[in-house]
Each structure stands twice: as C-alpha cells, then as structure tokens.
Amino acid sequence: MLDHLPLWLLIVVFVASGAVIWVAGVQLSKSTDAIDDRLHLGSALGGLIVLAVATNLPEIAITVTAAASGSVEVAVGNILGGIALQTVVIVILDRFGRRKKEAPPLTFRAASLTLVVEALSVVAILAVVVAGTQLPKGLDVLRLTPQAVLIVVLWIIGLLLVRRAGSHLPWHENGNAPGATPHRSGHRTRSSAGHHDSVSEGQRKRGLGRTLAVFAAAALATLVAGFFLEQSGDAASGQLGLSGLLFGATVLALATSLPEISTGLQAIRQGDDNLAISDIFGGNAFLPVLFLLAGLISGKAVLPVAKSGDIYLTAIAALLTAIYAIGLLFRPRRRVLGMGVDSLAVLIAYLLGIGGLIAVTG
C-alpha cells in the first residue's frame, strides 16, 4: 500500500514506526511487570504469554495481513525470518544492558534451569517446523494441518514445563545457580541488598484499570507501528533492489525486534535479568504458533510453502538457541568485546549464517 511513496518518505515512515515501537515497548515492559505483580501471574503467563505476545504484535499484524491476502509465503518468511535475529537480541542485551560496568555477562546473572527449559522448548518447536515443511500440502482438515496443531501442543506443553520448573525442580537450590540475580520462582525479582523490586512505587499506586489501559494503548501502538514498519520496509527494499528474504531476515527483523530490545533493556534496569531472556525465548516459542492462525485465515497449508532460505534460517535459530542454553548451564564470567563468550559465539554464528543465507538464496 506504500509502494507509490518516494524512497525518502518510506525511510521516514520506517524510522518513525521504529521509534513508536521502541517507546511502546518500554511501557509494555513496565505495565506487564505491574500486572504480574497485582494478579500474581508468574513467568508462564507474564514473560512467556502476555509480554511475548505483546512484543510480537508487529509479526502478528504482518502474518494476519499476508494470510488474508493469500500471500502465505510472506507469512512464513516473516515468522521464520525473525526468530534467529530475535535470539541475537540477547547479544544486544548482554552488551548494553549492564547496571554496573564490572557486572558479569547476562547468562551468568540470569542463570536458571527454568530458562534452559524454555530454550529447549524453542529448539523442539523449531525441529517440528523443519519437519513440517516437508509434509505434503493436502494434509489439512477444517483448515488445520497436523504440523501446525503439533506446534501449538508443544508450545502449551512448554508453558506447563516452565511453570513446573518455576515452582519445583529436583536440583540443588531448586535449579537456581549460586551468584545469579536474586529472583523468586517464576523470574520475579525480589528485594534484597543492592536490588529493588521490578515494580516501582508509582506503578504500585497506579490502579489496575489504568495499568491495563496503558498496556492496551502500548500494544495498539506496537500493532499499528509494526504494520507500517513492514509496509514501508518492504516497499523500500523493493526500490533499493534488495533481496526480500535477506532484507526480512536482517533489517526488517531487527526493526520488528525493537519491542524485545526496549522491554529487555527495561527489564534489566528494573533488576529482572531473567525476564529479559525469558521474553526472547517466549517470543521465539510463540511465533511458530502463528502458523495455525495463518492457516485458518488463508485456508491453505502454510508450512509446506516454506522456501529453502526459510528452512535454513530456522536451523540457524535452533543453533543460536542451543548455544545460549549451553551458556546458561556453564555460566561464563569472562567478557570479550564487552559481551559474554556465549553471546560472542552467537554473534559469530549469526553473521556466518547470514553469509550462508546469501549463498542459499543466490
């Protein structure tokens, strides 16, 4: 719808939309934390559902629009193209999200077996995505395909496992690593020496109705800005002659990841390192669930239309998630170039993966 606009105006729309998403993301983080505190939702409903869904509203808007117009290939590319880069957001949070200059890396501070469970849930869902792309297109009943249904089932199982892990794990100190950021089960920050509750006094005094209104307004702003971000970015890439898949997996994916960056940095400032990582893993686990929505809207089997580049990016996303799962277990204390060793490994793997994507897409 924006193809007729000149390039300079498309860039203005793109940047302005990104700015709106950034500001709205901060409010989403603050209001979600306040809602969690008042309603006692815990991480499974807070970090993994409420905030994960809200910060992925740009992707939801793009998926619904593409599926309604019958462009299921765009929906698939939008979902799978962004997961790898959203994992790289943890690199940004690790590099720039320090409350103290001498603070250890993010995966050391946020170490928790619950986060490892979340990471493994993402890897399991991505494995089903890759397998689902190989099934024939005719396997659908009432617009439901087995792979899309299985992804939703795995997502729900993952939520239940995370909820279980947040309340009890048969490990030393209930799965919490010594020296990690103090937090209650479910990744809520608790008060202790040198730490503050993630919900400020002003947020505590604010009524639940007003908090929900702020959340709804921020979510709506994210949704609308995400739509214009995708439209202006797609039109600009076409005028510049850039590959749609490459642009979507890099520039557009980074722009639509602005909610995760802003909410992650805000969560770290509030002392909730765990929520910063949980939001990324939760969002990555949720995104493939949109295949079910895209199939219901379009009436087509969605995953079988995935291109080789989409499948390639899915494998890269699984690899990056596995690296962070290992980092959460080994908890490296050393920083290289201002980030943890695991974040450096993820960044290198992603850059090499983009080089491979260029080869895959020609």
Side-chain angles (χ1 to χ4, degrees), residues 94 103-111 323-336 339-345:
D94 188 13
L106 182 58
T107 50
F108 182 92
R109 306 195 311 268
I323 293 175
Y324 269 126
I326 294 172
L328 288 165
L329 290 173
F330 283 88
R331 306 180 65 208
R333 295 195 65 121
R334 182 183 177 188
R335 283 188 177 273
V336 181
M339 66 188 76
V341 176
D342 48 358
S343 291
L344 180 62

Side-chain angles (χ1 to χ4, degrees), residues 123-157:
V123 173
I125 290 174
L126 294 180
V128 174
V129 168
V130 173
T133 61
Q134 305 305 304
L135 292 177
K137 297 181 180 180
L139 296 179
D140 62 286
V141 178
L142 300 177
R143 296 192 172 190
L144 297 176
T145 57
Q147 58 268 49
V149 173
L150 181 56
I151 288 171
V152 175
V153 171
L154 283 177
W155 179 62
I156 295 174
I157 291 175

Side-chain angles (χ1 to χ4, degrees), residues 47-105:
L48 292 185
I49 298 181
V50 179
L51 189 56
V53 172
T55 54
N56 280 294
L57 282 172
E59 287 83 357
I60 295 175
I62 296 169
T63 300
V64 171
T65 303
S69 64
S71 304
V72 291
E73 298 87 355
V74 176
V76 173
N78 167 62
I79 295 170
L80 298 182
I83 296 178
L85 196 136
Q86 282 195 177
T87 309
V88 179
V89 167
I90 301 179
V91 176
I92 299 174
L93 301 180
D94 188 13
R95 177 63 180 82
F96 300 102
R98 286 182 282 176
R99 293 183 296 277
K100 300 179 181 178
K101 186 176 181 180
E102 66 279 4

Side-chain angles (χ1 to χ4, degrees), residues 30-309:
K30 291 180 178 180
S31 55
T32 298
D33 220 21
I35 293 170
D36 283 354
D37 183 69
R38 287 180 174 275
L39 301 181
H40 309 289
L41 297 179
S43 69
L45 288 176
L48 292 185
I49 298 181
V50 179
L51 189 56
V53 172
T55 54
N56 280 294
L57 282 172
E59 287 83 357
I60 295 175
I62 296 169
T63 300
V64 171
T65 303
S69 64
S71 304
V72 291
E73 298 87 355
V74 176
V76 173
N78 167 62
I79 295 170
L80 298 182
I83 296 178
L85 196 136
Q86 282 195 177
T87 309
V88 179
V89 167
I90 301 179
V91 176
I92 299 174
L93 301 180
D94 188 13
R95 177 63 180 82
F96 300 102
R98 286 182 282 176
R99 293 183 296 277
K100 300 179 181 178
K101 186 176 181 180
E102 66 279 4
L106 182 58
T107 50
F108 182 92
R109 306 195 311 268
S112 167
L113 290 181
T114 304
L115 290 175
V116 177
V117 173
E118 293 181 27
L120 293 177
S121 298
V122 174
V123 173
I125 290 174
L126 294 180
V128 174
V129 168
V130 173
T133 61
Q134 305 305 304
L135 292 177
K137 297 181 180 180
L139 296 179
D140 62 286
V141 178
L142 300 177
R143 296 192 172 190
L144 297 176
T145 57
Q147 58 268 49
V149 173
L150 181 56
I151 288 171
V152 175
V153 171
L154 283 177
W155 179 62
I156 295 174
I157 291 175
L159 291 178
L160 295 176
L161 290 175
V162 169
R163 195 171 190 79
R164 172 67 174 172
S167 60
H168 175 70
L169 276 176
W171 288 78
H172 177 62
E173 295 190 6
N174 202 27
N176 298 325
T181 302
H183 59 277
R184 298 173 188 159
S185 61
H187 302 170
R188 300 292 86 195
T189 303
R190 68 165 180 259
S191 294
S192 61
H195 293 277
H196 303 280
D197 275 334
S198 55
V199 182
S200 68
E201 189 63 30
Q203 290 169 321
R204 290 184 187 278
K205 293 180 179 179
R206 180 187 295 170
L208 179 60
R210 185 179 176 186
T211 300
L212 291 173
V214 171
F215 180 88
L220 180 61
T222 302
L223 183 65
V224 175
F227 173 78
F228 281 101
L229 189 78
E230 188 275 337
Q231 291 288 321
S232 59
D234 185 60
S237 66
Q239 292 190 22
L240 292 172
L242 298 176
S243 164
L245 181 59
L246 184 60
F247 179 83
T250 53
V251 179
L252 184 58
L254 178 61
T256 54
S257 295
L258 286 175
E260 286 79 10
I261 298 174
S262 60
T263 54
L265 292 175
Q266 182 65 29
I268 291 174
R269 291 192 197 100
Q270 294 172 178
D272 206 337
D273 299 312
N274 299 72
L275 182 61
I277 296 181
S278 179
D279 178 30
I280 301 300
F281 288 159
N284 287 348
F286 169 76
L287 278 176
V289 174
L290 297 179
F291 288 128
L292 181 66
L293 178 62
L296 289 173
I297 294 175
S298 66
K300 303 177 183 178
V302 177
L303 269 176
V305 307
K307 301 177 182 179
S308 58

